Amino acid sequence: MENAVPHWAILKASGPPDLFGYSVYRELEGTEAEALAVMLELVDTFAEARTEAGHRRQRRQVFRLNERSYFIRVHNRVAAIEEAHFILAPLIADTSNDQLPDIAGQSV
């Protein structure tokens, strides 16, 4: 029997806002608090305030959309804007895990 530890995914959307593509950035085991701590570390280090050359970026904005969702906008020195959206999502259905239902509409 599999461990009953909750399974989480950090989803990341990136690209121009009208063309955002979502992917699983990282998968985690543990409690919600542990998974959220990992995601917040990723948010804090994504496009950090300094470049690899040590130059400070012009502006880095972090928006909290809710407890599990953050949007980051980074304005670089060359007038480029980089944006990303991170979402912490719990795994609620999995056909390979006997402790989870096969479909999202089933109750656990």
Side-chain angles (χ1 to χ4, degrees):
M1 182 175 274
E2 290 190 30
N3 192 353
V5 176
H7 189 88
W8 301 88
I10 297 174
L11 305 177
K12 178 186 174 201
S14 56
D18 55 340
L19 299 174
F20 260 4
Y22 284 87
S23 62
V24 175
Y25 188 74
R26 189 162 173 193
E27 292 186 62
L28 308 163
E29 298 288 334
T31 66
E32 180 177 2
E34 291 167 337
L36 185 57
V38 171
M39 186 179 79
L40 289 175
E41 183 178 333
L42 288 172
V43 167
D44 286 344
T45 58
F46 177 80
E48 292 181 275
R50 296 200 177 271
T51 64
E52 289 179 15
H55 297 108
R56 186 177 171 158
R57 298 185 190 282
Q58 289 183 332
R59 188 175 190 186
R60 183 177 184 276
Q61 299 172 300
V62 178
F63 300 90
R64 185 175 80 171
L65 305 174
N66 62 47
E67 293 257 343
R68 293 185 188 167
S69 179
Y70 291 80
F71 180 81
I72 304 163
R73 181 187 301 142
V74 179
H75 301 260
N76 293 306
R77 291 188 172 270
V78 291
I81 296 176
E82 184 176 0
E83 296 178 325
H85 182 199
F86 287 95
I87 302 166
L88 179 63
L91 177 65
I92 62 167
D94 185 345
T95 58
S96 69
N97 184 335
D98 291 338
Q99 296 178 351
L100 290 173
D102 290 348
I103 59 174
Q106 269 181 303
S107 58
V108 178

